[in-house]
Amino acid sequence: MNIELQCCALFIIFTIFVMFSREKKLDLMNRKLFLRAISACFACLIFDILSIIMINKAVNEGVSPALTLFTCKVYIMILVMQGYFGYMYAATSMLPGKETWAKTLKIIFHIIFITGEILVFVMPLKYELDGRIVYTHGLSATAAYFLCAVFIIATIITTIAYRKVIPGRRLTAMLLWQGIWLLAALIQFIVPQILLVGFASAFGMVILYIQLENPSEYIDAATGLFTTNALSVYVFDRYKFGRRFSMFTAKIHYLTAFVEFDMQQDAVTRTSRALIALGPEPAFRIDDDTFCVVYDDKDRMFEMAKNIKRQKDAVNDLPAKGTYLLIPDSMEMSGPDEFFRFLHTYLETEQEITVADKELINRLREQNSIKELIDDALKNDRVEVFYQPFYNVKKSCFNVAEALVRIRRENGEIVPPGLFIPVAEETGQIIPLGMRVFEKVCRFLSSQKAQEYGLEQVEVNVSAAQFDYENPATFVSKYMEEYNIKPEWINLEITETAAARNRDVMLLNMDKLINMGVTFSLDDFGTGRSNLEYFINMPISNIKFDQSFTQGFFDNDKTRYVLTGMADIVHKMNLSVVSEGIETKEQVMMMKEMGVEYIQGFYFSKPIPENNFLEFLIQNNGKKV
Ligand code: C2E
Ligand code: MG
Ligand code: MG
């Protein structure tokens, strides 16, 4: 009897089956479909062997030919089912589940499968014994092989059509599985005596199992929790099939600068144990110090989250604390991208408990729409630079201006920097944005039109982030060279926060630029964490008194004393003062009295576009210098 191959295959499938069902499982649609496919493969092999044995008995000993025929029918019907389940497994993971055409296609294949099975059942089938080889033939067998071919070809076409969206490993595994199957079916179709299909399909299952469905990479070796890879597969699966979920996340924050390995291990083990105790629901390790548990509904999540104290207790004798992020309803977010963006953004918060309510999600959306606005503005040249002149008290003219970035929406509306600079700093877009602003300023200065009407210098704002990411000296010198800009035309405004963030890099960059002849101002002095040390040791030539600080000059005596004293100190250090936010004539008079060198404010001019700024210079600085 030619059942050796089938027996081998049965043995292989049985092993995979046992391993697969003993593993820690995630509730994924893919896994359910794989289980269905592998069960069909298992049943198919059993009936394949059974039918071979029965044909032998029927032909040689005349034992129950009707039952033999029935067994053969069941075998080829399961073969068709196996093809159909294989197609469903592949198509469900690749086709966009929510699209109507995909749903229709699914129904069509379902109808083909049902009608096909009925036809296979009613059509005639014969079995044959040829020496020691048995095989079946007849209309029923031909229809079954034809249907199998349809399902395999449909699977291959789907895989090829979606080759760009499926990960490389999945693509290779799918193609190998289908290729082997198709080849075996072809051989068996041409030479029915070679019963290869059963073995080939078992072999295909081995490939799928090892490459795609073996979840060892989904299990974190240190904790036994699911990994971050498993989480992304899980989240994508849930969104794809519209199955809502809730999530509880815990992050360990170490309170010491250096975390000993043993201590970290200890905290991780204890936290993961505390999370596993939060229910039979799957727990994941998202990164070294972040964990989560997912629930089917929010009530259960909130119920379990009440045990937060238990996780706190888990690490309360270590120099560590936890922050918790609760996502009650995954459907509040538009899909996996938004979900992970949310996770990425809010996992870092310092707040102890954060709940992903509508307000927080909307804030994220706004931030994201601003991110897109910046990208769009950069791409379509809608970044503009406005100029705000400074009044030079000694020379009674406007010889310096601050460059202030704006984004113009498609409808012409102007977006102020307060709305997008913080986002740009967070997303890193400040790098290209800052470069664009600087390039525009250089282009403007290179025309020399403004210089003809007395402009001597433009002040450009630089964010702390620009020092963190890249050496700013490179782009500054690049554009200055490209546009033939004299270094004394440029002054860079930095803030104390920028100085505090990465002081050594900052000083290094400043030195390079100062050697080239560029000067620096300390912006927003008097806000937040003013630190005298900064302006004592930083190579700056101007101090800009912030609007809120100068306002105090007019509002209360104490601030007036501090401001006057500060101005005095600054002058003794041979630095000059710019007063920001001056809006009235009285304020101008008082600033003059205090001896500041430059006055910036709406009293003289708001920030204005390039052309209006040129007109302003012509009108206020008079004729060409
Ligand atoms: P800043 O550098 O302190 O700029 C001065 C801000 O004060 C400007 O706001 C200006 O319009 C406003 N201002 C000037 N005079 C008056 C006044 O008399 N009254 C009032 N109420 N406000 C006045 P703007 O243009 O909205 O810029 C806000 C901030 O955005 C800037 O503050 C600066 O930190 C940042 N920024 C602007 N452009 C850039 C840029 O190109 N790069 C970077 N990194 N930051 C920029
Ligand atoms: Mg500024
Ligand atoms: Mg300022």
Side-chain angles (χ1 to χ4, degrees), residues 134-167:
V134 298
Y135 61 95
T136 51
H137 61 101
L139 269 180
S140 173
T142 315
Y145 294 141
F146 174 76
L147 280 168
C148 276
V150 168
F151 291 132
I152 296 173
I153 291 168
T155 315
I156 294 179
I157 291 174
T158 316
T159 312
I160 292 175
Y162 283 87
R163 68 189 178 285
K164 290 212 173 96
V165 291
I166 50 181

mmCIF file of all heavy atoms in Angstrom, residues 134-167:
data_model
loop_
_atom_site.group_PDB
_atom_site.id
_atom_site.type_symbol
_atom_site.label_atom_id
_atom_site.label_comp_id
_atom_site.label_asym_id
_atom_site.label_seq_id
_atom_site.Cartn_x
_atom_site.Cartn_y
_atom_site.Cartn_z
ATOM 1 N N VAL A 134 -2.996 2.488 -4.967
ATOM 2 C CA VAL A 134 -4.439 2.743 -5.091
ATOM 3 C C VAL A 134 -4.648 4.209 -5.429
ATOM 4 O O VAL A 134 -3.853 5.066 -5.055
ATOM 5 C CB VAL A 134 -5.217 2.421 -3.788
ATOM 6 C CG1 VAL A 134 -5.098 0.977 -3.415
ATOM 7 C CG2 VAL A 134 -4.816 3.347 -2.683
ATOM 8 N N TYR A 135 -5.739 4.501 -6.139
ATOM 9 C CA TYR A 135 -6.092 5.887 -6.412
ATOM 10 C C TYR A 135 -7.554 5.973 -6.813
ATOM 11 O O TYR A 135 -8.204 4.975 -7.104
ATOM 12 C CB TYR A 135 -5.180 6.475 -7.494
ATOM 13 C CG TYR A 135 -5.243 5.778 -8.836
ATOM 14 C CD1 TYR A 135 -6.084 6.265 -9.846
ATOM 15 C CD2 TYR A 135 -4.466 4.643 -9.096
ATOM 16 C CE1 TYR A 135 -6.144 5.633 -11.075
ATOM 17 C CE2 TYR A 135 -4.539 4.003 -10.325
ATOM 18 C CZ TYR A 135 -5.380 4.503 -11.317
ATOM 19 O OH TYR A 135 -5.455 3.880 -12.517
ATOM 20 N N THR A 136 -8.076 7.220 -6.775
ATOM 21 C CA THR A 136 -9.480 7.423 -7.149
ATOM 22 C C THR A 136 -9.513 8.215 -8.449
ATOM 23 O O THR A 136 -8.605 9.000 -8.730
ATOM 24 C CB THR A 136 -10.230 8.222 -6.073
ATOM 25 O OG1 THR A 136 -9.474 9.375 -5.789
ATOM 26 C CG2 THR A 136 -10.452 7.406 -4.828
ATOM 27 N N HIS A 137 -10.585 8.047 -9.198
ATOM 28 C CA HIS A 137 -10.760 8.862 -10.399
ATOM 29 C C HIS A 137 -12.250 8.982 -10.698
ATOM 30 O O HIS A 137 -13.086 8.501 -9.939
ATOM 31 C CB HIS A 137 -9.970 8.273 -11.582
ATOM 32 C CG HIS A 137 -10.409 6.890 -11.969
ATOM 33 N ND1 HIS A 137 -11.227 6.643 -13.033
ATOM 34 C CD2 HIS A 137 -10.149 5.687 -11.400
ATOM 35 C CE1 HIS A 137 -11.445 5.342 -13.115
ATOM 36 N NE2 HIS A 137 -10.793 4.737 -12.126
ATOM 37 N N GLY A 138 -12.562 9.678 -11.759
ATOM 38 C CA GLY A 138 -13.966 9.919 -12.070
ATOM 39 C C GLY A 138 -14.283 11.396 -11.952
ATOM 40 O O GLY A 138 -13.441 12.196 -11.517
ATOM 41 N N LEU A 139 -15.524 11.768 -12.347
ATOM 42 C CA LEU A 139 -15.935 13.182 -12.373
ATOM 43 C C LEU A 139 -15.765 13.869 -11.024
ATOM 44 O O LEU A 139 -15.315 15.008 -10.920
ATOM 45 C CB LEU A 139 -17.402 13.275 -12.801
ATOM 46 C CG LEU A 139 -17.647 13.430 -14.306
ATOM 47 C CD1 LEU A 139 -19.140 13.518 -14.578
ATOM 48 C CD2 LEU A 139 -16.929 14.676 -14.823
ATOM 49 N N SER A 140 -16.154 13.128 -9.974
ATOM 50 C CA SER A 140 -16.084 13.694 -8.628
ATOM 51 C C SER A 140 -14.639 14.072 -8.273
ATOM 52 O O SER A 140 -14.377 15.172 -7.768
ATOM 53 C CB SER A 140 -16.624 12.668 -7.634
ATOM 54 O OG SER A 140 -16.427 13.096 -6.340
ATOM 55 N N ALA A 141 -13.688 13.148 -8.566
ATOM 56 C CA ALA A 141 -12.281 13.409 -8.259
ATOM 57 C C ALA A 141 -11.763 14.583 -9.098
ATOM 58 O O ALA A 141 -11.084 15.483 -8.580
ATOM 59 C CB ALA A 141 -11.445 12.170 -8.529
ATOM 60 N N THR A 142 -12.135 14.599 -10.396
ATOM 61 C CA THR A 142 -11.679 15.701 -11.254
ATOM 62 C C THR A 142 -12.191 17.036 -10.722
ATOM 63 O O THR A 142 -11.451 18.023 -10.647
ATOM 64 C CB THR A 142 -12.184 15.493 -12.704
ATOM 65 O OG1 THR A 142 -11.950 14.130 -13.048
ATOM 66 C CG2 THR A 142 -11.492 16.403 -13.676
ATOM 67 N N ALA A 143 -13.491 17.061 -10.338
ATOM 68 C CA ALA A 143 -14.063 18.305 -9.805
ATOM 69 C C ALA A 143 -13.315 18.732 -8.543
ATOM 70 O O ALA A 143 -13.013 19.923 -8.351
ATOM 71 C CB ALA A 143 -15.546 18.101 -9.496
ATOM 72 N N ALA A 144 -12.997 17.764 -7.694
ATOM 73 C CA ALA A 144 -12.301 18.086 -6.440
ATOM 74 C C ALA A 144 -10.917 18.681 -6.725
ATOM 75 O O ALA A 144 -10.545 19.712 -6.149
ATOM 76 C CB ALA A 144 -12.168 16.840 -5.577
ATOM 77 N N TYR A 145 -10.173 18.027 -7.675
ATOM 78 C CA TYR A 145 -8.843 18.556 -7.986
ATOM 79 C C TYR A 145 -8.952 19.945 -8.612
ATOM 80 O O TYR A 145 -8.153 20.845 -8.318
ATOM 81 C CB TYR A 145 -8.086 17.614 -8.944
ATOM 82 C CG TYR A 145 -7.750 16.272 -8.312
ATOM 83 C CD1 TYR A 145 -7.846 15.087 -9.042
ATOM 84 C CD2 TYR A 145 -7.340 16.199 -6.982
ATOM 85 C CE1 TYR A 145 -7.542 13.859 -8.467
ATOM 86 C CE2 TYR A 145 -7.038 14.976 -6.399
ATOM 87 C CZ TYR A 145 -7.144 13.809 -7.137
ATOM 88 O OH TYR A 145 -6.846 12.621 -6.558
ATOM 89 N N PHE A 146 -9.980 20.116 -9.449
ATOM 90 C CA PHE A 146 -10.183 21.407 -10.093
ATOM 91 C C PHE A 146 -10.448 22.495 -9.036
ATOM 92 O O PHE A 146 -9.859 23.577 -9.055
ATOM 93 C CB PHE A 146 -11.353 21.315 -11.080
ATOM 94 C CG PHE A 146 -11.713 22.640 -11.689
ATOM 95 C CD1 PHE A 146 -10.916 23.190 -12.695
ATOM 96 C CD2 PHE A 146 -12.828 23.355 -11.262
ATOM 97 C CE1 PHE A 146 -11.234 24.424 -13.246
ATOM 98 C CE2 PHE A 146 -13.145 24.586 -11.805
ATOM 99 C CZ PHE A 146 -12.351 25.115 -12.804
ATOM 100 N N LEU A 147 -11.337 22.184 -8.082
ATOM 101 C CA LEU A 147 -11.657 23.162 -7.030
ATOM 102 C C LEU A 147 -10.417 23.511 -6.206
ATOM 103 O O LEU A 147 -10.166 24.681 -5.888
ATOM 104 C CB LEU A 147 -12.735 22.597 -6.102
ATOM 105 C CG LEU A 147 -14.165 22.698 -6.647
ATOM 106 C CD1 LEU A 147 -15.104 21.859 -5.809
ATOM 107 C CD2 LEU A 147 -14.627 24.149 -6.659
ATOM 108 N N CYS A 148 -9.650 22.459 -5.887
ATOM 109 C CA CYS A 148 -8.419 22.703 -5.119
ATOM 110 C C CYS A 148 -7.517 23.657 -5.891
ATOM 111 O O CYS A 148 -6.961 24.607 -5.328
ATOM 112 C CB CYS A 148 -7.671 21.396 -4.879
ATOM 113 S SG CYS A 148 -8.305 20.536 -3.459
ATOM 114 N N ALA A 149 -7.395 23.398 -7.211
ATOM 115 C CA ALA A 149 -6.540 24.259 -8.035
ATOM 116 C C ALA A 149 -7.054 25.699 -8.000
ATOM 117 O O ALA A 149 -6.275 26.654 -7.883
ATOM 118 C CB ALA A 149 -6.500 23.731 -9.457
ATOM 119 N N VAL A 150 -8.400 25.864 -8.072
ATOM 120 C CA VAL A 150 -8.988 27.214 -8.033
ATOM 121 C C VAL A 150 -8.583 27.918 -6.735
ATOM 122 O O VAL A 150 -8.124 29.073 -6.740
ATOM 123 C CB VAL A 150 -10.534 27.142 -8.144
ATOM 124 C CG1 VAL A 150 -11.179 28.492 -7.807
ATOM 125 C CG2 VAL A 150 -10.934 26.704 -9.547
ATOM 126 N N PHE A 151 -8.723 27.206 -5.610
ATOM 127 C CA PHE A 151 -8.394 27.835 -4.324
ATOM 128 C C PHE A 151 -6.903 28.168 -4.224
ATOM 129 O O PHE A 151 -6.527 29.231 -3.742
ATOM 130 C CB PHE A 151 -8.813 26.919 -3.157
ATOM 131 C CG PHE A 151 -10.317 26.803 -3.023
ATOM 132 C CD1 PHE A 151 -10.936 25.570 -2.887
ATOM 133 C CD2 PHE A 151 -11.115 27.947 -3.035
ATOM 134 C CE1 PHE A 151 -12.319 25.474 -2.767
ATOM 135 C CE2 PHE A 151 -12.501 27.851 -2.913
ATOM 136 C CZ PHE A 151 -13.106 26.609 -2.784
ATOM 137 N N ILE A 152 -6.078 27.238 -4.711
ATOM 138 C CA ILE A 152 -4.626 27.494 -4.617
ATOM 139 C C ILE A 152 -4.239 28.677 -5.507
ATOM 140 O O ILE A 152 -3.520 29.588 -5.083
ATOM 141 C CB ILE A 152 -3.805 26.239 -5.014
ATOM 142 C CG1 ILE A 152 -4.082 25.109 -4.019
ATOM 143 C CG2 ILE A 152 -2.312 26.550 -5.015
ATOM 144 C CD1 ILE A 152 -3.456 23.783 -4.401
ATOM 145 N N ILE A 153 -4.784 28.683 -6.743
ATOM 146 C CA ILE A 153 -4.434 29.784 -7.657
ATOM 147 C C ILE A 153 -4.938 31.114 -7.088
ATOM 148 O O ILE A 153 -4.234 32.130 -7.113
ATOM 149 C CB ILE A 153 -4.977 29.506 -9.073
ATOM 150 C CG1 ILE A 153 -4.175 28.339 -9.669
ATOM 151 C CG2 ILE A 153 -4.862 30.731 -9.970
ATOM 152 C CD1 ILE A 153 -4.748 27.756 -10.936
ATOM 153 N N ALA A 154 -6.179 31.092 -6.513
ATOM 154 C CA ALA A 154 -6.719 32.322 -5.908
ATOM 155 C C ALA A 154 -5.808 32.795 -4.777
ATOM 156 O O ALA A 154 -5.543 34.000 -4.627
ATOM 157 C CB ALA A 154 -8.123 32.071 -5.377
ATOM 158 N N THR A 155 -5.304 31.862 -3.999
ATOM 159 C CA THR A 155 -4.411 32.224 -2.887
ATOM 160 C C THR A 155 -3.126 32.840 -3.439
ATOM 161 O O THR A 155 -2.659 33.871 -2.942
ATOM 162 C CB THR A 155 -4.060 30.973 -2.040
ATOM 163 O OG1 THR A 155 -5.245 30.236 -1.816
ATOM 164 C CG2 THR A 155 -3.435 31.363 -0.726
ATOM 165 N N ILE A 156 -2.584 32.218 -4.499
ATOM 166 C CA ILE A 156 -1.330 32.743 -5.068
ATOM 167 C C ILE A 156 -1.551 34.148 -5.644
ATOM 168 O O ILE A 156 -0.766 35.064 -5.394
ATOM 169 C CB ILE A 156 -0.781 31.784 -6.157
ATOM 170 C CG1 ILE A 156 -0.364 30.463 -5.493
ATOM 171 C CG2 ILE A 156 0.405 32.403 -6.897
ATOM 172 C CD1 ILE A 156 0.166 29.402 -6.426
ATOM 173 N N ILE A 157 -2.684 34.313 -6.359
ATOM 174 C CA ILE A 157 -2.961 35.639 -6.952
ATOM 175 C C ILE A 157 -3.088 36.689 -5.839
ATOM 176 O O ILE A 157 -2.518 37.779 -5.918
ATOM 177 C CB ILE A 157 -4.243 35.595 -7.816
ATOM 178 C CG1 ILE A 157 -3.973 34.739 -9.063
ATOM 179 C CG2 ILE A 157 -4.694 36.996 -8.214
ATOM 180 C CD1 ILE A 157 -5.191 34.482 -9.925
ATOM 181 N N THR A 158 -3.822 36.337 -4.763
ATOM 182 C CA THR A 158 -3.986 37.293 -3.654
ATOM 183 C C THR A 158 -2.621 37.643 -3.059
ATOM 184 O O THR A 158 -2.321 38.816 -2.810
ATOM 185 C CB THR A 158 -4.883 36.683 -2.546
ATOM 186 O OG1 THR A 158 -5.992 36.062 -3.170
ATOM 187 C CG2 THR A 158 -5.346 37.727 -1.566
ATOM 188 N N THR A 159 -1.805 36.619 -2.861
ATOM 189 C CA THR A 159 -0.491 36.870 -2.253
ATOM 190 C C THR A 159 0.342 37.785 -3.141
ATOM 191 O O THR A 159 0.973 38.732 -2.664
ATOM 192 C CB THR A 159 0.274 35.536 -2.049
ATOM 193 O OG1 THR A 159 -0.604 34.622 -1.427
ATOM 194 C CG2 THR A 159 1.499 35.729 -1.184
ATOM 195 N N ILE A 160 0.310 37.508 -4.453
ATOM 196 C CA ILE A 160 1.122 38.338 -5.357
ATOM 197 C C ILE A 160 0.568 39.765 -5.415
ATOM 198 O O ILE A 160 1.312 40.739 -5.366
ATOM 199 C CB ILE A 160 1.216 37.688 -6.750
ATOM 200 C CG1 ILE A 160 2.046 36.394 -6.621
ATOM 201 C CG2 ILE A 160 1.863 38.628 -7.767
ATOM 202 C CD1 ILE A 160 2.134 35.555 -7.868
ATOM 203 N N ALA A 161 -0.782 39.879 -5.440
ATOM 204 C CA ALA A 161 -1.392 41.210 -5.516
ATOM 205 C C ALA A 161 -1.056 42.039 -4.276
ATOM 206 O O ALA A 161 -0.907 43.260 -4.361
ATOM 207 C CB ALA A 161 -2.903 41.084 -5.670
ATOM 208 N N TYR A 162 -0.935 41.374 -3.134
ATOM 209 C CA TYR A 162 -0.669 42.120 -1.897
ATOM 210 C C TYR A 162 0.784 42.020 -1.460
ATOM 211 O O TYR A 162 1.100 42.293 -0.319
ATOM 212 C CB TYR A 162 -1.617 41.650 -0.776
ATOM 213 C CG TYR A 162 -2.997 42.240 -0.959
ATOM 214 C CD1 TYR A 162 -3.944 41.602 -1.748
ATOM 215 C CD2 TYR A 162 -3.325 43.468 -0.396
ATOM 216 C CE1 TYR A 162 -5.192 42.164 -1.962
ATOM 217 C CE2 TYR A 162 -4.563 44.039 -0.599
ATOM 218 C CZ TYR A 162 -5.492 43.382 -1.385
ATOM 219 O OH TYR A 162 -6.709 43.957 -1.594
ATOM 220 N N ARG A 163 1.657 41.627 -2.381
ATOM 221 C CA ARG A 163 3.056 41.378 -1.992
ATOM 222 C C ARG A 163 3.719 42.610 -1.379
ATOM 223 O O ARG A 163 4.606 42.489 -0.544
ATOM 224 C CB ARG A 163 3.866 40.858 -3.182
ATOM 225 C CG ARG A 163 4.076 41.878 -4.286
ATOM 226 C CD ARG A 163 4.689 41.256 -5.509
ATOM 227 N NE ARG A 163 4.847 42.211 -6.565
ATOM 228 C CZ ARG A 163 3.847 42.671 -7.327
ATOM 229 N NH1 ARG A 163 2.606 42.236 -7.124
ATOM 230 N NH2 ARG A 163 4.057 43.557 -8.268
ATOM 231 N N LYS A 164 3.248 43.809 -1.781
ATOM 232 C CA LYS A 164 3.912 45.024 -1.281
ATOM 233 C C LYS A 164 3.493 45.361 0.138
ATOM 234 O O LYS A 164 4.212 46.044 0.843
ATOM 235 C CB LYS A 164 3.573 46.200 -2.195
ATOM 236 C CG LYS A 164 4.237 46.065 -3.549
ATOM 237 C CD LYS A 164 4.601 47.408 -4.150
ATOM 238 C CE LYS A 164 5.404 47.240 -5.405
ATOM 239 N NZ LYS A 164 4.583 47.296 -6.618
ATOM 240 N N VAL A 165 2.300 44.904 0.529
ATOM 241 C CA VAL A 165 1.841 45.278 1.872
ATOM 242 C C VAL A 165 2.105 44.205 2.918
ATOM 243 O O VAL A 165 2.011 44.464 4.108
ATOM 244 C CB VAL A 165 0.335 45.665 1.904
ATOM 245 C CG1 VAL A 165 0.095 46.959 1.196
ATOM 246 C CG2 VAL A 165 -0.531 44.562 1.319
ATOM 247 N N ILE A 166 2.451 42.993 2.472
ATOM 248 C CA ILE A 166 2.705 41.975 3.489
ATOM 249 C C ILE A 166 4.201 41.862 3.769
ATOM 250 O O ILE A 166 5.012 42.010 2.862
ATOM 251 C CB ILE A 166 2.091 40.586 3.144
ATOM 252 C CG1 ILE A 166 2.469 40.139 1.729
ATOM 253 C CG2 ILE A 166 0.605 40.580 3.306
ATOM 254 C CD1 ILE A 166 1.877 38.796 1.359
ATOM 255 N N PRO A 167 4.538 41.637 5.041
ATOM 256 C CA PRO A 167 5.956 41.562 5.383
ATOM 257 C C PRO A 167 6.664 40.471 4.596
ATOM 258 O O PRO A 167 6.055 39.435 4.270
ATOM 259 C CB PRO A 167 5.939 41.215 6.869
ATOM 260 C CG PRO A 167 4.547 41.448 7.335
ATOM 261 C CD PRO A 167 3.651 41.384 6.150
#
